[in-house]
Amino acid sequence: MEVDMTGQVNLHRPPLLGREAELRAIEQSLTDSSVAGILIGGDVGMGKSRLAREIHRRRGGQETWLRGDRVLSAAPFGVFAMIVDLDDPVGLPKRVIEALTGGAQTPTVFVDNAHHLDARSLRLLTQLASTGTIRIVAMTRQPAVRNSWPFAELVDEQAMAQITLGQLTQRDLRTAVEYSFGGIAAQAVLDIVDFHSGRNPGKLFELLGYCKRKNRLLLRNGVVILDGLDTDFDVRARDFARIDLEEYSDEERTALELVVMAGEIDIELMLSLGLGAAADRLVDLDVLRIVGAASRVYVAREHHASETIRVSIPIGRSRKWFAIVRDYPDKPSDRSRMLRTEWALGCGIDLDDRQIIDAAMIAIEATEWHRALRIMADLPTGNLNAAELFELAYLYCNVGQLELGLDLLAHCLHKACCPGLVIAAAVVWGNRQTAYRSAALEATSFLDALDRMADDDSECCAVSTCSAHSEEHSQAAKWFAADGLSVDSAKDLLQTILSVVGAGGHHDEGALSRRPDGDLLRTHALDESLPDMYRMAAGLVCGSFELEKGRPGKALEILNFVKRELRSLGMGSMILRLLDARTRMEQGDLAAARRSLQVPRTNDIAQLAARSGVSDIMEAEILLREGEIDSALRFARAGVEALDYWNQSSALAAALGLAQYLATLSGESQMAEEFDIRFVRLVRSSFQMEYRRAVAHALISRRLRNSDSEAERELNRMLEDAEREESFGLAAEIRCLLFRHFGDADSDAMCRLAAAGEGQTFRFLGAVGSALREKDSASLLKIAEAQRSAAPDVAARCVQLAKDRLKHRGNLPSTVVSSELPIELTEREREICGLLVKGRSNAEIAEQLGAAVRTVEGHAYRLYRKLGITRRDQVAEAFARLNIEIAGRAKQKTDSI
């Protein structure tokens, strides 16, 4: 990165980001005798000139470069003004030809902005190219009408090649962000940058430069994350990534701005303003749509220019338009009412509190969290009823503002008259860490609220509280609606919630015995008389328990019910995706696991940030199953930082355990230690998803790093407890880890456990256990072959066990020969191997070799896979064993000669 004399930040960027194939096509067109060059098309910012400049540089940088513009297009032969004197018309075409050819046999002429060529310049260049006098590399914007292209005749006759530059790939986008910020990009960062830039290279780097100057993206522990509450990013970033609105006429731009601001505009109103023809042209361009049956209205397609429009219209004109729309007797949709309220607030129109509250509730319902926060920014919370306080509290908890969210929950309890609302509030409270709990909100607060209801003779759901809220926001009200739920029944549900919270992080025998029964939770999840918020939570916890027990089929059944019947807009939906992906992964379908992480597209900056961590951590899990340890660690690191920043404690423990394990496998011991410290410091008296699985990962990591005998004993105690409690899924995972890393291979225990559950882990245990019990070396070698790509250390373990069993079975089966192919290291891998043996870190190796750290990490990862190891402290032994084998093969070869 450089800073120029004006203080502007200039980002270094990969010069050919995602355009290698296009570069090859351009170079090929200049050596292909059948064509006269190439036409490079694409929108503004797609990198047409950048590609051509690179080709120009590679060819020596001396060939003619022409550049069209609007001014020169008005003069005949205007594009040649820099190479000939246009003021002297005598022999001008001849002088142009001489300047272009320069005596070369077939020179190449580069023509930038070819869409601005005047007619005579275009005709001359076309003639020269068609006769083979010159070759042309021309860059042009992509027009809407095909025959308006420059050099269209040559392209249509296939005498000139053509390529059109499209948007960058997701991988290119990640490379650009990480190259610019020097860290791993969390998923939310990629999502928001994708939306604002459209993956247009010019807009992308303009946006990244702005984010760098204004610190719009946060760098935490080497991870670039998105602050989803950053209003300045939400507004200004769109200015730096907007589409070129100047392509529309004044009338079209006015029509578009009106529809975007109002959410929808009635056709009759648009006609009365004299903008009907302009609006219809926008419909033809697919910018606006006409919807509705009885009342036909224009609506806009949301894109990255919409928010720019909303913040860039002058206040005076905005107020004038708002008055026109407000006074028109239409019946706007909920979304339109929400947008009009935000419009009014933005241009200083007075609104009553009820109108603002209603708009905010619509935004929450539509999962437009950031818009809801903007609308509610200056509204006193004392004006909200209990149901509205609950929704706002839930929103703040979802966007990581736990202290404010839990304070609002406390106020909600003081006003609540509905037992269902108390239970829904308890679910939200129980899903957060105690470190962030409000002093005004403790476990007793919920019991106090229920006791107050029992002593109060007033009827539940009185006017202006829950019933009024339910009429206007029926879906949201279902979170806590529970007709006929008595105070005593609510107290029983509260005790169930507290038992889940209490057992979520304490895994001593007493705490586990207090966990609610999974069958009870399943019954509660299916009971339509209970609040939906509680039913959703019961279903998710039940699904987690089923996975612990090794029953992914039953887990998927309850999770599908939650997904189908109990739609949640917050942390619940994120936990649902995590569990759904893990369930499908346990069933062995990694493609389905990835699909389950795909969610409906949103442009809401707060929601993108909130769901980032779960997406990254589950991608890390999938990559681990695929054997991509280095990539898995990168995603795990991103997931940890996003979850931690957004206070999503229910998933953080699982993320820290996985990240610590992956860092250990990658030989990053210091990083693993740091993750372990954070794991130990977690406050454990709130609900934490899959905590015992995270503990197993942490214990394995400590044992691998430090030869910690206590960690090994604790791991074996966990295994005994899990088998005694019939948590066979957890037990199977622990047995697999012990086998993979320490060679623990109790064949009878493996077979017994394999019969107790279903899924990929159980199938693996059953195959290994059966092969060991039967001393079937051939089967072990088949397992090794299947695991060779995803888990080379497991494959090596199976091969070694096969060798051990062969001592009792006679001759070596022929399959062993093909399974034990000689290991060949490249020269660079041997060099890195030697430095690893000397204890050098990846950063030190990169500095010594003059390479990037990421390059060294890639070499190290491939080296580990070849050697069949998983951590740095195994390199010396494996390298020595390899050298011995090489020496032995050399001796055998010499002896045979």
Side-chain angles (χ1 to χ4, degrees):
M1 183 180 69
E2 299 173 346
V3 181
D4 63 23
M5 296 298 291
T6 64
Q8 297 295 304
V9 177
N10 300 317
L11 286 171
H12 292 310
R13 53 173 162 167
L16 308 175
L17 186 66
R19 301 301 192 198
E20 291 80 4
E22 289 83 353
L23 272 172
R24 289 193 295 271
I26 298 170
E27 290 179 323
Q28 182 179 352
S29 73
L30 297 180
T31 59
D32 185 350
S33 60
S34 67
V35 295
I38 190 165
L39 180 65
I40 309 170
D43 292 334
V44 175
M46 281 297 178
K48 304 181 294 295
S49 300
R50 191 174 179 83
L51 280 179
R53 285 287 185 192
E54 175 62 17
I55 296 294
H56 190 262
R57 182 192 66 78
R58 292 182 182 185
R59 294 171 62 87
Q62 301 302 312
E63 293 171 314
T64 301
W65 185 282
L66 305 175
R67 181 180 178 84
D69 63 38
R70 292 180 186 275
V71 175
L72 293 175
S73 66
F77 300 107
V79 75
F80 305 113
M82 296 301 293
I83 61 174
V84 298
D85 181 6
L86 298 183
D87 292 335
D88 181 6
V90 178
L92 183 55
K94 182 179 180 181
R95 285 188 285 118
V96 168
I97 293 172
E98 290 175 348
L100 290 177
T101 57
Q105 186 175 3
T106 309
T108 298
V109 178
F110 292 78
V111 186
D112 203 358
N113 287 341
H115 48 280
H116 286 315
L117 287 175
D118 64 276
R120 297 190 69 177
S121 296
L122 177 58
R123 187 161 57 250
L124 177 61
L125 289 168
T126 300
Q127 290 172 349
L128 293 175
S130 63
T131 59
T133 305
I134 64 172
R135 290 180 179 274
I136 293 177
V137 177
M139 293 72 77
T140 181
R141 290 189 193 177
Q142 205 68 21
V145 182
R146 179 178 175 81
N147 60 12
S148 67
W149 292 344
F151 308 107
E153 300 91 342
L154 294 177
V155 171
D156 289 342
E157 294 170 3
Q158 297 184 351
M160 191 172 188
Q162 181 187 25
I163 58 173
T164 301
L165 301 184
Q167 61 181 202
L168 299 173
T169 65
Q170 284 283 356
R171 177 174 292 183
D172 296 331
L173 179 71
R174 177 181 291 277
T175 298
V177 174
E178 295 184 347
Y179 192 95
S180 299
F181 284 85
I184 299 167
Q187 187 59 49
V189 170
L190 301 178
D191 288 340
I192 200 68
V193 171
D194 185 355
F195 172 65
H196 289 322
S197 69
R199 280 184 263 156
N200 176 305
K203 294 178 180 179
L204 170 62
F205 282 101
E206 188 178 25
L207 173 61
L208 293 178
Y210 166 75
C211 292
K212 192 79 172 181
R213 290 192 300 274
K214 300 295 185 180
N215 295 320
R216 292 280 72 85
L217 300 175
L218 309 177
L219 188 62
R220 288 169 56 94
N221 297 317
V223 176
V224 186
I225 63 173
L226 175 66
D227 180 356
L229 302 180
D230 190 339
T231 305
D232 191 33
F233 184 98
D234 199 35
V235 174
R236 289 293 306 282
R238 288 172 170 84
D239 286 332
F240 281 80
R242 65 183 182 274
I243 62 171
D244 185 8
L245 296 174
E246 296 301 323
E247 67 182 89
Y248 304 121
S249 67
D250 291 342
E251 292 79 11
E252 290 168 346
R253 196 159 55 250
T254 299
L256 175 60
E257 290 170 347
L258 262 175
V259 176
V260 167
M261 297 299 289
E264 61 187 44
I265 292 291
D266 190 274
I267 288 180
E268 295 299 325
L269 174 57
M270 193 72 84
L271 290 172
S272 70
L273 296 173
L275 298 172
D280 288 339
R281 285 195 295 272
L282 293 173
V283 171
D284 292 339
L285 294 172
D286 202 29
V287 176
L288 297 182
R289 291 179 297 158
I290 298 176
V291 300
S295 177
R296 305 283 281 171
V297 297
Y298 293 102
V299 297
R301 293 188 180 277
E302 286 286 324
H303 47 66
H304 58 280
S306 299
E307 292 301 317
T308 300
I309 290 173
R310 292 187 177 107
V311 301
S312 61
I313 299 175
I315 294 295
R317 186 170 54 164
S318 185
R319 291 174 67 91
K320 178 182 176 181
W321 286 350
F322 181 81
I324 294 173
V325 172
R326 178 189 57 195
D327 295 339
Y328 186 80
D330 61 349
K331 295 182 179 179
S333 65
D334 283 350
R335 175 172 174 77
S336 183
R337 287 196 297 121
M338 172 190 70
L339 292 175
R340 292 180 187 187
T341 299
E342 188 180 22
W343 183 11
L345 293 172
C347 61
I349 303 295
D350 289 333
L351 299 174
D352 62 59
D353 288 351
R354 177 48 48 190
Q355 188 175 354
I356 296 173
I357 292 169
D358 289 346
M361 295 303 117
I362 293 170
I364 293 173
E365 182 83 15
T367 67
E368 296 199 29
W369 295 348
H370 203 264
R371 178 166 279 119
L373 293 170
R374 291 199 302 263
I375 291 172
M376 296 286 286
D378 298 320
L379 186 70
T381 56
N383 297 342
L384 304 180
N385 63 40
E388 292 161 349
L389 281 168
F390 168 77
E391 291 203 61
L392 187 58
Y394 188 42
L395 171 62
Y396 276 111
C397 287
N398 283 330
V399 298
Q401 302 296 292
L402 298 188
E403 294 174 353
L404 179 56
L406 295 174
D407 281 346
L408 288 171
L409 271 186
H411 289 298
C412 165
L413 290 180
H414 288 307
K415 291 186 176 183
C417 61
C418 172
L421 186 53
V422 175
I423 295 304
V427 170
V428 175
W429 169 84
N431 199 33
R432 267 60 191 182
Q433 285 195 23
T434 54
Y436 296 98
R437 289 180 181 169
S438 165
L441 189 63
E442 298 293 340
T444 55
S445 303
F446 302 96
L447 286 170
D448 291 343
L450 291 173
D451 287 338
R452 174 174 53 78
M453 292 175 193
D455 296 337
D456 195 343
D457 293 333
S458 63
E459 185 178 349
C460 178
C461 296
V463 178
S464 299
T465 57
C466 298
S467 60
H469 185 81
S470 178
E471 291 174 5
E472 297 183 12
H473 306 285
S474 57
Q475 180 61 40
K478 283 185 66 178
W479 288 345
F480 52 80
D483 294 337
L485 180 65
S486 68
V487 169
D488 288 339
S489 296
K491 287 183 177 181
D492 291 338
L493 296 180
L494 181 60
Q495 290 302 319
T496 301
I497 293 170
L498 295 177
S499 66
V500 172
V501 171
H506 295 298
H507 296 284
D508 58 277
E509 187 173 343
L512 290 168
S513 67
R514 294 190 295 271
R515 291 202 319 185
D517 181 76
D519 290 336
L520 173 65
L521 291 175
R522 177 183 290 271
T523 301
H524 285 177
L526 300 176
D527 188 345
E528 295 184 3
S529 70
L530 301 180
D532 274 6
M533 179 68 78
Y534 175 81
R535 297 174 65 205
M536 177 201 68
L540 292 176
V541 175
C542 181
S544 179
F545 286 179
E546 294 291 1
L547 280 174
E548 262 198 16
K549 289 183 174 297
R551 300 187 296 213
K554 287 185 174 294
L556 189 60
E557 177 187 324
I558 191 68
L559 293 175
N560 282 338
F561 169 78
V562 173
K563 191 187 308 181
R564 184 176 63 251
E565 302 290 339
L566 307 172
R567 298 181 62 84
S568 170
L569 306 179
M571 192 60 195
S573 64
M574 299 170 199
I575 295 297
L576 174 61
R577 287 202 303 276
L578 184 150
L579 291 175
D580 189 56
R582 185 179 309 294
T583 299
R584 298 180 188 280
M585 191 171 63
E586 290 299 330
Q587 291 180 324
D589 193 342
L590 299 186
R594 279 199 170 93
R595 287 195 299 271
S596 71
L597 296 176
Q598 297 172 0
V599 293
R601 184 172 179 82
T602 178
N603 303 322
D604 183 79
I605 193 171
Q607 192 183 156
L608 287 175
R611 74 189 193 190
S612 179
V614 169
S615 298
D616 279 327
I617 204 66
M618 280 314 303
E619 181 63 25
E621 289 266 19
I622 295 169
L623 287 167
L624 172 60
R625 289 293 179 101
E626 293 174 336
E628 300 292 338
I629 305 296
D630 184 55
S631 296
L633 177 58
R634 293 171 60 78
F635 276 92
R637 289 178 62 188
V640 164
E641 300 308 331
L643 291 170
D644 192 23
Y645 182 78
W646 280 73
N647 299 320
Q648 293 170 338
S649 57
S650 55
L652 183 57
L656 284 169
L658 176 65
Q660 179 183 170
Y661 176 64
L662 289 168
T664 302
L665 295 186
S666 299
E668 299 290 349
S669 297
Q670 183 58 44
M671 185 186 299
E673 290 287 350
E674 291 168 0
F675 283 132
D676 195 18
I677 291 170
R678 295 168 68 177
F679 180 78
V680 171
R681 288 176 178 171
L682 281 178
V683 178
R684 300 183 185 175
S685 55
S686 61
F687 176 62
Q688 292 173 346
M689 187 64 62
E690 299 193 304
Y691 185 83
R692 291 205 289 176
R693 187 171 180 274
V695 171
H697 277 140
L699 292 172
I700 282 285
S701 301
R702 291 171 200 161
R703 177 68 176 83
L704 289 171
R705 292 194 312 273
N706 308 320
S707 300
D708 185 347
S709 57
E710 179 55 35
E712 187 171 358
R713 284 192 292 272
E714 178 61 25
L715 198 59
N716 281 293
R717 282 197 294 270
M718 278 190 67
L719 176 59
E720 292 173 4
D721 289 344
E723 290 182 335
R724 185 177 63 254
E725 300 155 15
E726 298 185 352
S727 295
F728 297 123
L730 176 63
E733 178 135 15
I734 294 173
R735 282 212 176 272
C736 281
L737 289 170
L738 290 171
F739 172 76
R740 176 174 188 170
H741 298 294
F742 309 125
D744 289 1
D746 184 332
S747 58
D748 291 337
M750 284 179 162
C751 291
R752 190 168 54 248
L753 189 54
E758 61 186 69
Q760 194 172 32
T761 304
F762 290 93
R763 289 194 292 271
F764 173 78
L765 283 177
V768 174
S770 177
L772 290 174
R773 187 166 58 186
E774 301 299 324
K775 297 183 179 180
D776 185 351
S777 300
S779 294
L780 281 172
L781 293 171
K782 287 180 181 178
I783 297 169
E785 190 62 35
Q787 295 290 325
R788 185 174 294 263
S789 175
D793 51 343
V794 173
R797 184 79 65 192
C798 290
V799 169
Q800 187 61 49
L801 286 169
K803 287 181 178 179
D804 293 343
R805 294 302 186 268
L806 288 173
K807 293 177 181 178
H808 308 286
R809 294 292 302 272
N811 294 328
L812 187 73
S814 59
T815 53
V816 174
V817 177
S818 61
S819 298
E820 296 189 280
L821 297 175
I823 298 173
E824 299 291 344
L825 300 184
T826 66
E827 184 177 347
R828 178 50 62 93
E829 286 170 343
R830 283 190 161 276
E831 188 175 9
I832 290 175
C833 200
L835 293 171
L836 288 171
V837 171
K838 294 177 181 178
R840 302 286 196 274
S841 67
N842 286 347
E844 290 170 336
I845 295 172
E847 183 177 359
Q848 182 167 337
L849 299 181
V853 174
R854 188 178 299 180
T855 301
V856 172
E857 290 173 349
H859 280 301
Y861 172 64
R862 288 186 290 274
L863 179 66
Y864 285 10
R865 289 174 66 89
K866 284 185 178 182
L867 296 177
I869 60 176
T870 58
R871 60 185 194 273
R872 187 178 293 257
D873 61 9
Q874 295 174 321
V875 172
E877 180 183 351
F879 193 39
R881 186 169 60 247
L882 174 62
N883 289 331
I884 292 170
E885 290 175 357
I886 291 173
R889 288 199 298 269
K891 185 176 185 302
Q892 288 177 357
K893 185 176 181 180
T894 302
D895 292 344
S896 65
I897 297 174

